[in-house]
Amino acid sequence: MSAFSEKLDAAGVASILARVAERRPRVHCLTNTVAQNVTANMLLAFGAMPSMAGHPDEVAAVAAGAGAILINLGTISPEGERAIPKLLAVAQEHRIPLVLDPVFVELSPLRLRLVGDVLASFDVLVRGNATEMAVLEPLFVPKRDIVRVTTGAVDRIETEGRSLSLAHGHAWMTKVTGLGCASSALVAACRAVEPDPMIAAAAALTAYGIAGEIAAERAAGPGSFAMHLIDALAGLDEVSLAARMS
């Protein structure tokens, strides 16, 4: 089946961001330890609420009330490995959408196995770089309805019969640790308020990319860029989005 190419305008992105700010969804993040701080700060700037409990004995209780769940494999631990099945169970029981960030899945069989477990669950969106997504391609074949988000100079959002391409951002986004991981949390925040996962991902990554462009104009280098990125995320509106969306 050929893909239908879609487009999201500034008003559509702004509408989703406004819903995030109004509803303040909680995103439960089992995430990379090097990305926790920037992830929490970016979610707060976006208008969402972060929670990051990872202990297997409490993770289900904490995640049960979340609007979306992020599973990031960046620094997977034995406790994290035991927490993932509990998060999958609570997502299934409460119909909570999942975002998976398969960090360095190409480096270990453990990560590949955990990705397989997550992909078998309910309502999964996967965001990874080109290398990670290429490794996972065989797992996607029997589940073409999974939303696949491949980020890079051009972000591609795909599912069976549908596609979206985005080209916003700045090179410094690759020079600050944890920013890519944090962008997955923004996708989860939008997914918590937007029932169409492709549109949710497009809105989040458009906002993230445009905030990166604004931040780069204000920053002196990668160090100050992260600070300005959080400020730019907090200040996005339809006017600033429309000025940069073609």
Side-chain angles (χ1 to χ4, degrees):
M1 180 184 296
S2 61
F4 171 65
S5 181
E6 303 180 45
K7 189 172 182 179
L8 187 62
D9 62 15
V13 176
S15 173
I16 294 173
L17 301 189
R19 272 180 271 157
V20 172
E22 177 185 356
R23 300 181 194 177
R24 294 183 62 79
R26 182 161 58 85
V27 178
H28 188 76
C29 308
L30 184 69
T31 192
N32 194 331
T33 56
V34 301
Q36 286 178 336
N37 184 267
V38 69
T39 296
N41 285 334
M42 282 173 56
L43 281 171
L44 289 168
F46 217 50
M49 296 292 294
S51 60
M52 298 201 178
H55 195 292
D57 291 342
E58 71 164 2
V59 68
V62 176
I69 294 171
L70 168 66
I71 296 175
N72 177 302
L73 302 181
T75 52
I76 193 68
S77 66
E79 282 198 340
E81 182 183 0
R82 290 195 294 122
I84 287 174
K86 299 190 177 186
L87 285 173
L88 299 182
V90 79
Q92 183 74 36
E93 179 182 356
H94 296 279
R95 312 300 284 179
I96 301 172
L98 285 163
V99 174
L100 170 66
D101 193 331
V103 180
F104 287 138
V105 66
E106 71 276 14
L107 298 185
S108 85
L110 169 64
R111 291 169 191 252
L112 189 60
R113 175 176 63 78
L114 292 174
V115 167
D117 293 343
V118 176
L119 293 184
S121 189
F122 156 83
D123 196 355
V124 183
L125 181 153
V126 183
R127 188 217 70 88
N129 62 35
T131 299
E132 292 157 354
M133 299 301 273
V135 169
L136 297 184
E137 188 59 34
L139 298 183
F140 293 140
V141 170
K143 300 194 72 173
R144 300 304 297 182
D145 57 333
I146 288 177
V147 176
R148 306 175 301 282
V149 181
T150 307
T151 51
V154 175
D155 299 329
R156 293 183 291 108
I157 307 169
E158 302 166 294
T159 190
E160 188 172 27
R162 299 173 67 193
S163 70
L164 268 162
S165 294
L166 311 169
H168 293 288
H170 190 272
W172 283 341
M173 296 173 117
T174 66
K175 303 298 184 182
V176 182
T177 189
L179 291 187
C181 294
S183 73
S184 294
L186 301 185
V187 172
C190 289
R191 183 66 185 89
V193 303
E194 169 52 52
D196 186 328
M198 284 195 63
I199 298 302
L205 293 176
T206 297
Y208 172 65
I210 288 175
E213 294 168 5
I214 294 169
E217 294 170 359
R218 301 172 179 172
S224 57
F225 174 78
M227 174 188 71
H228 287 296
L229 176 62
I230 292 169
D231 289 346
L233 280 171
L236 284 178
D237 56 21
E238 186 174 343
V239 173
S240 58
L241 290 165
R244 295 171 185 266
M245 291 178 69
S246 56

